[in-house]
């Protein structure tokens, strides 16, 4: 796929443009809602990208803002394209919000995890164990569905036009045994294999680095190819996630990531450390040790 051309990013771009045009027309949200005979919350949610906008609503808003001709038609067409359904809609009971749509359209992904292997690098067995631990009350069918959705997300990294993926993890990720030594050996060897891809970089922050900015928790910075689509920071949590788009917030997390990269081992040394940990788990599980890159 062409990065930056998905429906979620198009909706975000349209929302930003509608907000800019409303402000240029010197109209408040309340004034727009009154003139279009709709609720102010609807206008607000359209402008923040929380809900889609129909081509008809987009045209009504643009006419109110004095936008006509080719510019109006281009934005109405953007509204049509933003309403298309992405592959993730097949897992709409798993994926809520706009996270997966943004991730799927990003040209760069910078991730930090302190306790777990990032979702895009997880093996199926590791993912199942993690999801089961985080959702102890979930039915087995739900767990299977969530695992399948996570595996589908991972196709992003092997796409013909994949994003640049840079993952930094705390060394604790290599030592926390998830579902036994065999699962851990498989998982860590998978990380070694993925790190060999041209679009994937993996780094480990060693215990010896001491305190570091990532101790605040996991986060992901999503970058997009078009200048109009500014970076988004996604701060993860068990039940939901926080999206940060204001420039000061994005800069703060970008600086945090730069500090984490500087504190981490170099990529080659990181892969060597991961391979050593994988070998120890393989030995515990009485598995044959793999040669990195040949599995």
């Amino acid at each position: 796929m062409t990065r930056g051309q998905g429906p979620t990013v198009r909706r975000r771009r349209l929302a930003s443009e509608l907000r800019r045009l409303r402000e240029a027309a010197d109209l408040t949200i309340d004034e727009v809602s009154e003139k279009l005979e709709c609720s102010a919350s609807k206008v607000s949610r359209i402008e923040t990208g929380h809900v889609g906008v129909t081509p008809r609503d987009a045209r009504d808003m643009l006419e109110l803002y004095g936008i006509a001709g080719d510019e109006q038609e281009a934005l109405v067409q953007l509204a049509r394209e933003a309403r298309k359904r992405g592959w993730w809609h097949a897992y709409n009971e798993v994926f809520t919000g706009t996270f997966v749509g943004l991730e799927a359209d990003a040209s760069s992904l910078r991730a930090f995890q302190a306790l777990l292997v990032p979702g895009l690098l997880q093996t199926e067995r590791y993912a199942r164990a993690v999801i089961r631990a985080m959702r102890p009350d979930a039915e087995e069918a739900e767990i299977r569905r969530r695992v399948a959705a996570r595996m589908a997300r991972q196709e992003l990294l092997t796409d013909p036009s994949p994003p640049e993926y840079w993952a930094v993890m705390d060394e604790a990720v290599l030592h926390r045994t998830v579902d036994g030594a065999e699962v851990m050996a498989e998982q860590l060897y998978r990380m070694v294999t993925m790190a060999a891809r041209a679009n994937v970089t993996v780094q480990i922050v060693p215990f010896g680095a001491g305190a570091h900015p990532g101790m605040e928790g996991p986060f992901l910075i999503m970058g997009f190819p078009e200048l109009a689509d500014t970076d988004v920071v996604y701060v993860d949590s068990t039940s939901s996630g926080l999206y940060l788009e204001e420039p000061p917030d994005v800069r703060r997390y970008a600086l945090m990531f730069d500090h984490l990269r500087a504190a981490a081992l170099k990529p080659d040394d990181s892969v060597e450390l991961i391979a050593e940990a994988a070998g120890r788990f393989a030995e515990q599980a009485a598995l044959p040790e793999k040669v990195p890159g040949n599995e």
Side-chain angles (χ1 to χ4, degrees):
M1 66 171 287
T2 302
R3 306 256 74 83
Q5 298 300 313
T8 304
V9 166
R10 289 179 184 275
R11 186 172 78 183
R12 180 172 177 248
R13 190 181 304 161
L14 177 61
S16 176
E17 189 65 7
L18 288 174
R19 181 172 62 252
R20 184 188 69 80
L21 291 171
R22 174 183 59 78
E23 292 172 348
D26 199 24
L27 292 168
T28 66
I29 287 177
D30 287 335
E31 288 170 337
V32 171
S33 67
E34 181 179 350
K35 292 179 183 296
L36 297 183
E37 298 183 343
C38 65
S39 68
S41 64
K42 175 181 176 179
V43 177
S44 177
R45 288 171 66 80
I46 286 174
E47 289 191 358
T48 55
H50 287 115
V51 298
V53 54
T54 66
R56 179 176 178 177
D57 284 345
R59 193 180 300 278
D60 289 344
M61 295 174 82
L62 292 166
E63 287 179 354
L64 180 61
Y65 304 156
I67 306 301
D70 291 345
E71 184 178 3
Q72 182 188 108
E73 287 307 313
L75 290 171
V76 170
Q77 179 60 26
L78 188 59
R80 294 190 187 98
E81 293 168 352
R83 292 173 64 80
K84 294 179 180 177
R85 298 168 73 86
W87 66 264
W88 52 89
H89 283 281
Y91 298 95
N92 59 4
E93 78 282 14
V94 175
F95 298 130
T96 58
T98 60
F99 170 72
V100 175
L102 291 172
E103 179 187 66
D105 234 19
S107 56
S108 68
L109 298 165
R110 290 172 285 172
F112 173 75
Q113 277 284 357
L115 298 175
L116 300 170
V117 172
L120 290 180
L121 299 178
Q122 291 178 6
T123 64
E124 186 171 340
R125 291 200 291 175
Y126 184 97
R128 182 178 293 108
V130 167
I131 292 170
R132 183 181 290 116
M134 289 184 168
R135 297 177 178 273
D137 298 331
E139 298 287 340
E140 186 59 31
E142 180 186 347
I143 292 175
R144 286 198 300 269
R145 189 68 171 157
R146 289 184 176 277
V147 171
R150 187 161 298 180
M151 296 302 101
R153 273 179 59 206
Q154 294 181 0
E155 295 179 15
L156 177 69
L157 295 184
T158 55
D159 186 89
S161 178
E164 293 295 324
Y165 183 64
W166 197 310
V168 178
M169 286 160 268
D170 192 281
E171 187 180 348
V173 173
L174 307 184
H175 300 283
R176 182 176 299 280
T177 304
V178 174
D179 205 28
E182 183 177 335
V183 169
M184 286 302 297
E186 177 187 52
Q187 174 60 77
L188 297 183
Y189 281 130
R190 166 71 185 282
M191 287 168 58
V192 170
T193 300
M194 292 302 295
R197 295 187 62 85
N199 61 305
V200 177
T201 302
V202 175
Q203 283 185 274
I204 302 296
V205 180
F207 288 142
H212 58 72
M215 298 176 77
E216 186 177 358
F219 62 89
L220 173 69
I221 305 172
M222 295 177 275
F224 305 93
E226 298 292 334
L227 291 177
D229 303 320
T230 56
D231 290 1
V232 178
V233 177
Y234 179 75
V235 182
D236 201 3
S237 69
T238 303
S239 58
S240 62
L242 175 66
Y243 298 89
L244 302 173
E245 301 181 58
E246 293 299 320
D249 294 324
V250 174
R251 282 195 298 269
R252 181 167 69 89
Y253 275 90
L255 182 61
M256 286 171 59
F257 194 79
D258 286 343
H259 280 294
L260 285 165
R261 288 192 296 190
L265 298 174
K266 293 179 180 179
D268 288 347
D269 294 335
S270 295
V271 171
E272 183 177 340
L273 185 65
I274 296 167
E276 289 174 359
R280 289 194 297 271
F281 279 116
E283 185 177 355
Q284 291 176 30
L287 298 173
E289 186 171 351
K290 297 182 181 180
V291 177
N294 290 341
E295 49 273 47

